[in-house]
Amino acid sequence: MTAPRESSLERLPAIRDNTHILAVVGPPEFDAAPADDGWFFSDFFLANHLFRGLGKSQRWMTCVDPQTLIDGYGEYVFGSPYEERRVVLDQNQRPQNVTVHPPHDLRDEFLARIQDTVALAAKTNDHVLVLFFGHGRELSYGLEIGADSEGEPLLLTPEEVRPVVASAPDLDITLYLTSCYSGGWVESPWLRNNDGKSLITTMAAAKKATMSESLMASISGRIGGSIFTAAVIQTLLREEGLDRPGNKEYSHKSYLDLTDDIRNTLFDEIDVRFPKPPVFGAQNENWNDPFYSRTGIPPILYQHRFNELRSIPPSDLNPMQDRSRRLSRVSDSEVAAWRARNPDSSDDSFTSRGAFASRSARRGIPMRISVARALAIQYMTSNPLRDTVGCNVSAHGRFRSLIEGTLSEDHLDDAVECLFSRLESLATSEVYAKMMGLSIPPIAAFNVDKYLYNAANAADIEAYYDPALYEVRIRADILFPVPKSSTPADQKTRMYLACAFTIARMKESAVIDALDKLVAAVSKDIEVQTKAYRATGRFGRWISTVKRTARSLSPSKRLRKSLGESSDPQKS
């Protein structure tokens, strides 16, 4: 009988023996459902399985007991719903080395474990691999880890991590991040030495001004991980067969080669329609080191371990929405066959989790929920950003559940609060554009993705868009306040204004001047937005309807926050 392929592990380089692995998944139990922030847990549990038993030490941290997730949701999966997926958590597939902490302690415990692990590894010049799965904040680049007693996320910033990494400047440390705006950790001056070189190696899912994305949801709404982790894992799976002793291709594969492979996998196989490049940094700019020594990722046979996981079949989703394929490669016959199997489903781009727009309201539903459903449909038909961007995964999932009548009472208040905030910010953004004299279609008719990915706009976008977006974002706490910092803000509002500045081809100095005058006007009269809403017709009616029903819909929540109050940069 042939020996198991994993027996070849004993022939692999000893680098796998000196890596300390430390991982955390940030969301609390309230947001942990597979259709909400469960995609971070899918990444977390997959990595736990692939890395099991490797390295010198391991610690996997969370504020949600895996058994609670199993009891509540049965299983968590990893992979695109258009392909065979793998079950990463269920009664028979449980994680190892997981410690569960109270949500209000998780952030501090994680930072303390980083300190302890770095101190331990420095004694014998080992490698430290830190993995974070969760949300990130714009501007501060803070990682959301656990929550306080009020449910507000607790943040870990580059500034707070600097003393730890600076205490061991010669130690190899790698940070893996799936969060929005995680590229900010690559560029942060807090994580660089006096020569401007990086103190750590960083693998980040998104640029510092860009949101990370999940894979698409299945018919049931379940989301199986992030596109970044999917690209990394798919790249590592290809290392099959390259780990034999003396194989020069493997031994000379550099960290730079690995980052190129990950980008190519993401752009060519995972998401060919909306490519958002990940960002990488190399400690001391050592890009040409062997990837396994630079990253601390153990060189094992990942394919063997991946195949150990139970598989489930693909969902029967519209092939036109499969972002791993170019539209030109989706045949008419495929689409016709899908429509024949799903005659009640819609082809609209926003219905990737199942058709709801054509369904009539069910009888017997309380008026407060019926009104909320109507508002949710109004929002979801206003060309919002994709379901898969970080700020939308949980929010859109709950809006769809509200429309379908399946949203739990536990999540109703938060869904309505988020819906109210988003409708208000959409109206506000359109008004702001008019106040600054910018010419752009109404926000509900403007598709940000189509504009940004239209080749005809590429030159203007390269010249004007990023600086404009940055200037909008640093003023977002005044221009677009949210009820609480844990409410995922609608990033379309910022991007809409940045697109308006780009269409006008406004230089950065002119953008700054226009925004400063706008902020002054808003700060002077906190009712300026409300006055403007009444003149906007469509959106004014949205806001009026929400205001009339807000108290009955969510009596326990404070639905509005004064423009004069400060708030943290928004969650993604």
Side-chain angles (χ1 to χ4, degrees):
M1 179 177 179
T2 303
R5 291 169 67 188
E6 198 154 336
S7 63
S8 63
L9 282 175
E10 63 192 33
R11 303 197 304 270
L12 296 182
I15 184 68
R16 66 183 179 87
D17 293 329
N18 74 339
T19 300
H20 299 266
I21 299 173
L22 179 62
V24 67
V25 57
E29 181 181 342
F30 184 78
D31 297 319
D36 290 337
D37 288 343
W39 54 297
F40 296 121
F41 288 88
S42 291
D43 282 359
F44 178 81
F45 293 128
L46 175 65
N48 178 275
H49 174 74
L50 293 180
F51 291 165
R52 74 175 188 271
L54 299 175
K56 209 167 193 177
S57 70
Q58 289 194 23
R59 183 182 289 258
W60 301 75
M61 304 175 68
T62 177
C63 58
V64 187
D65 191 330
Q67 186 59 52
T68 299
L69 299 178
I70 295 171
D71 293 341
Y73 307 108
E75 64 185 20
Y76 282 68
V77 303
F78 182 88
S80 166
Y82 285 93
E83 301 172 353
E84 188 179 72
R85 291 157 289 169
R86 300 288 174 163
V87 176
V88 294
L89 178 72
D90 66 3
Q91 288 287 10
N92 299 315
Q93 176 61 39
R94 297 169 179 271
Q96 298 179 1
N97 301 312
V98 171
T99 58
V100 182
H101 303 269
H104 60 272
D105 289 340
L106 183 61
R107 180 255 182 212
D108 290 345
E109 287 289 338
F110 181 60
L111 180 57
R113 296 292 77 74
I114 295 176
Q115 294 169 336
D116 293 346
T117 304
V118 167
L120 177 64
K123 294 178 180 179
T124 49
N125 197 31
D126 294 333
H127 196 116
V128 177
L129 173 60
V130 180
L131 305 104
F132 170 76
F133 306 97
H135 286 293
R137 293 287 181 87
E138 57 182 330
L139 302 180
S140 73
Y141 315 120
L143 308 178
E144 296 186 4
I145 304 177
D148 64 17
S149 59
E150 300 298 321
E152 295 293 294
L154 299 173
L155 302 182
L156 181 65
T157 64
E159 181 179 359
E160 294 169 304
V161 173
R162 178 184 172 83
V164 183
V165 298
S167 68
D170 297 324
L171 186 67
D172 287 327
I173 301 174
T174 294
L175 182 60
Y176 179 94
L177 303 166
T178 64
S179 50
C180 293
Y181 318 113
S182 47
W185 287 73
V186 179
E187 299 184 27
S188 174
W190 293 107
L191 300 177
R192 293 186 175 273
N193 59 27
N194 294 333
D195 295 329
K197 294 183 178 180
S198 179
L199 292 170
I200 61 174
T201 294
T202 312
M203 304 175 71
K207 291 182 177 181
K208 67 177 183 180
T210 304
M211 293 169 285
S212 60
E213 298 201 31
S214 73
L215 293 163
M216 289 187 65
S218 65
I219 291 175
S220 67
R222 183 168 55 185
I223 304 163
S226 67
I227 63 171
F228 180 56
T229 296
V232 171
I233 295 301
Q234 197 154 310
T235 300
L236 292 175
L237 293 182
R238 290 205 186 90
E239 299 306 313
E240 183 76 37
L242 296 181
D243 54 356
R244 301 295 181 259
N247 188 317
K248 292 184 178 180
E249 181 180 356
Y250 185 78
S251 61
H252 289 92
K253 194 177 187 70
S254 69
Y255 173 57
L256 180 61
D257 293 332
L258 178 70
T259 62
D260 287 342
D261 288 349
I262 292 171
R263 287 192 185 95
N264 291 336
T265 300
L266 180 59
F267 295 165
D268 298 340
E269 302 174 39
I270 305 295
D271 192 348
V272 302
R273 301 186 193 176
F274 303 106
K276 292 287 184 69
V279 183
F280 302 96
Q283 189 168 349
N284 292 317
E285 311 307 315
N286 292 325
W287 291 95
N288 292 318
D289 285 356
F291 86 82
Y292 50 80
S293 63
R294 171 52 36 217
T295 64
I297 297 176
I300 70 163
L301 294 176
Y302 288 99
Q303 186 70 61
H304 176 77
R305 288 196 171 179
F306 190 78
N307 289 342
E308 291 177 337
L309 297 168
R310 176 169 62 89
S311 64
I312 59 175
S315 291
D316 189 14
L317 295 170
N318 187 342
M320 294 288 287
Q321 296 168 353
D322 183 359
R323 284 162 48 181
S324 70
R325 303 172 63 191
R326 299 192 183 280
L327 286 173
S328 59
R329 297 186 179 182
V330 180
S331 67
D332 292 341
S333 60
E334 285 182 84
V335 177
W338 176 80
R339 287 174 179 164
R341 296 191 303 271
N342 301 274
D344 295 329
S345 294
S346 167
D347 293 331
D348 292 343
S349 61
F350 61 85
T351 58
S352 59
R353 299 190 187 205
F356 58 76
S358 62
R359 299 186 182 184
S360 59
R362 300 177 178 85
R363 294 186 178 183
I365 294 177
M367 178 59 69
R368 66 189 184 94
I369 299 178
S370 179
V371 172
R373 176 183 289 115
L375 293 173
I377 292 175
Q378 193 84 339
Y379 169 81
M380 294 300 287
T381 55
S382 68
N383 281 306
L385 299 180
R386 303 182 298 280
D387 291 348
T388 55
V389 296
C391 68
N392 285 349
V393 176
S394 177
H396 282 197
R398 290 178 182 177
F399 295 163
R400 293 177 188 280
S401 295
L402 176 60
I403 292 164
E404 293 289 349
T406 59
L407 186 67
S408 70
E409 286 289 335
D410 290 342
H411 289 104
L412 179 59
D413 283 355
D414 281 303
V416 171
E417 187 172 84
C418 181
L419 180 61
F420 174 85
S421 176
R422 290 192 170 203
L423 292 177
E424 188 168 35
S425 66
L426 287 172
T428 304
S429 189
E430 186 172 316
V431 170
Y432 287 162
K434 292 179 180 179
M435 291 174 66
M436 291 184 289
L438 299 173
S439 179
I440 187 172
I443 194 167
F446 187 78
N447 189 308
V448 170
D449 286 328
K450 286 185 178 179
Y451 177 78
L452 293 179
Y453 290 96
N454 185 335
N457 303 324
D460 285 348
I461 291 168
E462 183 176 358
Y464 303 104
Y465 180 76
D466 282 347
L469 182 61
Y470 174 77
E471 295 300 333
V472 174
R473 279 185 163 146
I474 62 176
R475 297 165 176 81
D477 58 340
I478 296 175
L479 298 177
F480 304 107
V482 294
K484 58 181 182 179
S485 62
S486 58
T487 300
D490 189 348
Q491 298 296 320
K492 181 182 178 181
T493 57
R494 292 104 161 111
M495 298 168 76
Y496 176 75
L497 290 183
C499 288
F501 287 125
T502 302
I503 291 170
R505 296 179 177 174
M506 288 180 66
K507 294 182 178 180
E508 186 174 0
S509 59
V511 171
I512 292 172
D513 183 60
L515 288 172
D516 284 346
K517 290 179 180 177
L518 178 65
V519 167
V522 171
S523 300
K524 183 177 180 181
D525 183 359
I526 63 173
E527 293 299 319
V528 66
Q529 297 157 299
T530 303
K531 293 176 182 177
Y533 295 155
R534 299 187 183 118
T536 63
R538 177 184 63 264
F539 279 106
R541 290 192 293 273
W542 285 15
I543 301 304
S544 297
T545 303
V546 177
K547 286 180 177 178
R548 287 197 302 269
T549 59
R551 295 300 178 185
S552 61
L553 282 166
S554 185
S556 64
K557 300 288 184 179
R558 178 166 59 93
L559 293 179
R560 295 202 63 184
K561 186 173 185 178
S562 169
L563 280 168
E565 295 177 273
S566 62
S567 61
D568 289 335
Q570 310 309 317
K571 172 181 176 177
S572 72

